[in-house]
Amino acid sequence: MNCSISGEVPEEPVVSKKSGLLFEKRLIERHISDFGKCPITSEPLTMDDIVSVKAGKIVKPRPVQAASIPGMIGMFQNEWDSLMLSNFALEQQLHTARQELSHALYQHDAACRVIARLKKERDEARSLLAQAERQMPSYVDTGNAVHAPLSNGKRVADGEELGSGGKKPRPGISTDIIAELTDCNAVLSQQRKKRTIPPTLAPIEDLERYTQISSYPLTKTNKPGILCVDVYHSKDIIATGGIDTNAVVFDRASEQIVSTLSGHSKKVTSIKIVQQDESLVITGSADKTVRLWQGLDDGTYDCRHVLKDHTAEVQAVTVHATNKYFVTASLDNSWCFYDIASGRCFSQQVTDSSPSEGYTSAAFHPDGLILGTGTTDAIVKIWDVKSQANVAKFDGHTGPVTAMSFSENGYFLATAAHDGVKLWDLRKLKNFRSFSSPDPDTPTNSVDFDHSGSYLAVASSDIRVYQVASVKSEWNCIKTLPDLSGTGKATSAKFGPDAKYIAVGSMDRNLRIFGLPAENGMPES
């Protein structure tokens, strides 16, 4: 039976008690809700008058288009058309993807051909450059003559100025010098593998007993202050540089000043004794110059060369392991590579045009192919000497890097700044330990590994000596020498031969010697 309202077979049939008419439940419920009467008889009707009718499952008749063969053919045709359109769209997408892939492969092939051609041109250029360097003379022709290197028996006139504006050319680090540096590195590296601690090295028990055993006023009273110290290890020769513009060569054994080196117009910021010959001393100064001094038979020192390649204060001087070359570092953001015998500048390396950055410290690695420099911007830079390329940078300090020292085993680098000392592992290029400055208002001015690599001296408001250990082991402070804050902060600390004593320069003009106390009225040697 069909619904009295829709005329279709009801899905949920109900019957009116009053009229007996059959309705679709959802339709009659809506009509009663809206009008409250029967839609056929117009009699009042409520949902209480409606009774549900149970019926079997009703199968809906087929739609009209499926009730005949032409209708079914039409349905199949529509489905086929839809499938074909979808297939056509997929084929279009596949064709586009193939075109894009083909274009990408063509570009890749072209790029590979270009790279191969550039590599070939690069290799040819390198070959030509190497051939030209082999054929190039040692020095550049500047005018009518080619300047040859000076022999060890000859030198320029006393006090002759060398520099970028002078008559002497700057030839660059030649392949012969690089080969010499490489050979030195190979020999020292091989020796280092067999290195043992010398039996003459002062033991920890001795360092724990160190105290001040002597003090020598070496600078003028009107401008007091020793800024730098170096020790010649074969003999007890100590060199100092001060604010009074002078450098002093001091014989500790006789406790006498050997010579006072006068010539700089401003403070001497760095001093080095050439370890192969104590008669050769190199000084750097705030007057922007570097001086090479030669000891004479009468004990005095003569200025062999005045080097003027820098345009700002020279802050550091460091000598190569061959004792034939040295490097200077300046606040003009450059370091120069020099020959000791001739005083010639082979290379000047400027890394950054920023006026805020300058070099404040420098040191050669024991093997000689690596150079470390510290900057005013608290950065430590590691250089490959052969290529003069910056190969690593360490940051983390606060304030200018005032000093640095490589350990004898070649694994560690100690650097000093206002915040104290940081130890760097050169194998993993990372900081593995730090020592804070004992006085926050006093920067750490000096760090120095002894020649055996067993001890580290740190100079600040006091002098602290640490026992060198491994990366993972503790570096114990084995001795703290007297606080110098009342008499002038320590500016430099250097170990004597076999760490038998420590030479300390301070701002109160005194060179202090710390070692074993005197016994039986005789000082320790």
Side-chain angles (χ1 to χ4, degrees):
M1 297 182 62
N2 295 334
C3 175
S4 301
I5 298 177
S6 62
E8 297 179 354
V9 178
E11 294 180 359
E12 191 175 359
V14 292
V15 175
S16 172
K17 295 179 181 180
K18 294 183 177 181
S19 62
L21 296 174
L22 182 68
F23 300 98
E24 175 68 42
K25 183 177 181 180
R26 58 184 178 80
L27 297 179
I28 194 61
E29 282 180 348
R30 185 181 301 171
H31 189 83
I32 292 174
S33 174
D34 292 339
F35 303 101
K37 59 182 180 180
C38 178
I40 305 301
T41 64
S42 298
E43 295 178 354
L45 188 66
T46 65
M47 289 303 297
D48 295 334
D49 299 326
I50 300 300
V51 177
S52 296
V53 177
K54 293 182 179 181
K57 185 176 181 180
I58 300 173
V59 178
K60 294 184 178 181
R62 295 180 179 180
V64 176
Q65 61 269 27
S68 62
I69 292 176
M72 295 178 66
I73 293 175
M75 290 175 60
F76 293 152
Q77 185 65 47
N78 291 337
E79 290 290 334
W80 174 261
D81 292 341
S82 177
L83 180 61
M84 290 298 103
L85 287 175
S86 176
N87 188 53
F88 176 79
L90 291 175
E91 288 182 351
Q92 288 289 94
Q93 292 177 1
L94 177 61
H95 179 69
T96 302
R98 284 178 173 174
Q99 287 184 329
E100 291 175 352
L101 178 60
S102 176
H103 184 65
L105 290 174
Y106 174 80
Q107 287 183 326
H108 178 266
D109 183 67
C112 289
R113 289 195 299 269
V114 171
I115 292 172
R117 187 180 73 251
L118 291 176
K119 284 184 176 180
K120 181 180 179 181
E121 292 175 355
R122 180 203 62 186
D123 294 338
E124 291 175 351
R126 285 180 174 175
S127 177
L128 292 174
L129 179 60
Q131 183 179 359
E133 286 180 346
R134 288 192 296 268
Q135 297 174 355
M136 188 168 50
S138 298
Y139 292 96
V140 179
D141 189 358
T142 57
N144 298 323
V146 176
H147 296 269
L150 296 180
S151 66
N152 291 335
K154 297 182 181 180
R155 60 183 176 87
V156 297
D158 293 346
E160 180 174 350
E161 296 179 358
L162 303 178
S164 57
K167 297 180 180 180
K168 304 299 183 289
R170 182 178 301 152
I173 301 179
S174 67
T175 53
D176 292 339
I177 296 176
I178 291 176
E180 184 178 8
L181 301 183
T182 304
D183 292 342
C184 177
N185 171 266
V187 172
L188 293 177
S189 298
Q190 189 65 29
Q191 291 176 353
R192 185 161 288 106
K193 294 178 181 178
K194 303 176 182 179
R195 184 180 66 93
T196 59
I197 302 300
T200 54
L201 180 70
I204 294 178
E205 295 77 13
D206 285 356
L207 269 74
E208 291 175 342
R209 296 169 53 207
Y210 277 9
T211 185
Q212 181 175 317
I213 58 177
S214 56
S215 178
Y216 309 99
L218 299 185
T219 61
K220 295 179 180 179
T221 56
N222 60 337
K223 291 183 178 180
I226 295 175
L227 297 178
C228 48
V229 173
D230 196 25
V231 176
Y232 182 67
H233 289 280
S234 297
K235 300 178 182 178
D236 275 349
I237 301 296
I238 302 174
T240 67
I243 296 178
D244 63 356
T245 73
N246 293 329
V248 175
V249 179
F250 180 79
D251 185 352
R252 177 176 174 263
S254 64
E255 298 186 326
Q256 297 295 321
I257 294 177
V258 176
S259 182
T260 299
L261 316 182
S262 300
H264 286 293
S265 60
K266 294 184 179 181
K267 62 185 179 181
V268 178
T269 56
S270 182
I271 190 167
K272 287 293 178 183
I273 304 174
V274 179
Q275 293 298 315
Q276 195 173 17
D277 184 358
E278 79 276 10
S279 65
L280 287 175
V281 176
I282 307 171
T283 56
S285 171
D287 64 6
K288 308 176 187 178
T289 67
V290 178
R291 288 177 178 258
L292 277 72
W293 307 84
Q294 174 69 64
L296 305 179
D297 294 338
D298 60 0
T300 61
Y301 279 74
D302 182 29
C303 180
R304 293 179 58 185
H305 306 298
V306 180
L307 312 177
K308 290 191 172 183
D309 290 280
H310 289 294
T311 58
E313 290 187 14
V314 178
Q315 291 282 298
V317 174
T318 179
V319 180
H320 188 267
T322 58
N323 291 307
K324 294 182 179 180
Y325 309 101
F326 69 96
V327 162
T328 60
S330 168
L331 291 180
D332 64 4
N333 192 28
S334 73
W335 57 265
C336 295
F337 186 93
Y338 289 98
D339 173 56
I340 291 178
S342 64
R344 295 191 182 277
C345 178
F346 289 116
S347 176
Q348 186 174 32
Q349 176 69 41
V350 179
T351 61
D352 193 347
S353 60
S354 171
S356 64
E357 183 180 284
Y359 297 127
T360 51
S361 56
F364 269 114
H365 187 273
D367 291 342
L369 288 185
I370 294 176
L371 174 72
T373 58
T375 72
T376 56
D377 292 341
I379 302 297
V380 178
K381 296 184 177 181
I382 305 298
W383 303 84
D384 178 3
V385 177
K386 293 190 297 183
S387 62
Q388 298 99 61
N390 180 210
V391 294
K393 290 183 180 180
F394 301 144
D395 56 14
H397 270 301
T398 300
V401 180
T402 54
M404 59 175 55
S405 177
F406 287 92
S407 67
E408 182 61 23
N409 63 10
Y411 297 152
F412 306 133
L413 170 64
T415 57
H418 191 280
D419 55 349
V421 174
K422 290 187 180 296
L423 298 173
W424 308 90
D425 184 350
L426 298 176
R427 293 163 294 184
K428 296 184 178 180
L429 301 179
K430 69 176 184 178
N431 170 230
F432 66 91
R433 187 163 280 99
S434 299
F435 303 131
S436 300
S437 178
D439 181 2
D441 297 328
T442 303
T444 302
N445 297 301
S446 174
V447 287
D448 181 49
F449 284 100
D450 80 293
H451 193 63
S452 70
S454 301
Y455 306 116
L456 174 69
V458 178
S460 184
S461 60
D462 59 17
I463 310 298
R464 301 192 177 192
V465 181
Y466 294 87
Q467 181 183 11
V468 174
S470 65
V471 172
K472 296 182 180 180
S473 301
E474 189 65 28
W475 291 48
N476 297 319
C477 180
I478 58 180
K479 184 64 178 179
T480 299
L481 299 172
D483 188 350
L484 301 179
S485 58
T487 56
K489 63 183 180 181
T491 56
S492 185
K494 288 287 182 179
F495 283 102
D498 291 326
K500 296 294 187 183
Y501 65 86
I502 302 174
V504 177
S506 68
M507 291 302 293
D508 66 350
R509 69 188 284 262
N510 285 301
L511 171 66
R512 288 178 167 83
I513 305 298
F514 292 88
L516 287 178
E519 295 179 0
N520 300 325
M522 296 296 293
E524 280 288 332
S525 60

